[in-house]
Amino acid sequence: MAEIHNDLEQNPQITYPTLWEYVVIGADEEAVQGAIFEVLEVPYEIGRIRHSSGGKFVSVHICLEVDSKQQRDSIFSALSHHPSVKMVI
């Protein structure tokens, strides 16, 4: 019988520092950009800004350099817990 490997259980090998992208989603573009500004203490670039077809949500794509998994996860958590942010991808 063939051995089955579940690639989903393996962590990808990431070499730090690396560029990382987050998609920050909220209801108001200015509030989402304000949240990003409040949370991030490192330089970042805003990429695409997209509004949902119904106009209820906006997604702001940001790119920045992260130095470690800990920093990457910390930024994700801080953005996720900001009151102006609905979701971070």
Side-chain angles (χ1 to χ4, degrees):
M1 183 170 199
E3 188 175 340
I4 298 174
H5 297 282
N6 187 348
D7 291 337
L8 296 176
E9 292 179 9
Q10 296 179 1
N11 290 326
Q13 295 298 319
I14 300 172
T15 304
Y16 295 96
T18 189
L19 291 178
W20 200 259
E21 183 174 335
Y22 299 90
V23 180
V24 186
I25 301 169
D28 179 75
E29 182 179 337
E30 285 186 34
V32 170
Q33 288 194 33
I36 293 167
F37 180 78
E38 286 176 29
V39 168
L40 294 180
E41 298 175 356
V42 295
Y44 63 93
E45 291 184 20
I46 293 180
R48 293 179 292 175
I49 298 174
R50 303 175 109 182
H51 294 268
S52 65
S53 59
K56 292 184 178 182
F57 298 100
V58 62
S59 63
V60 179
H61 297 244
I62 58 172
C63 186
L64 60 130
E65 186 175 279
V66 292
D67 295 326
S68 66
K69 181 181 185 316
Q70 179 183 3
Q71 182 188 29
R72 189 185 84 205
D73 292 346
S74 175
I75 291 170
F76 181 89
S77 179
L79 287 170
S80 296
H81 289 96
H82 194 282
S84 297
V85 175
K86 300 289 184 197
M87 181 186 313
V88 180
I89 300 172

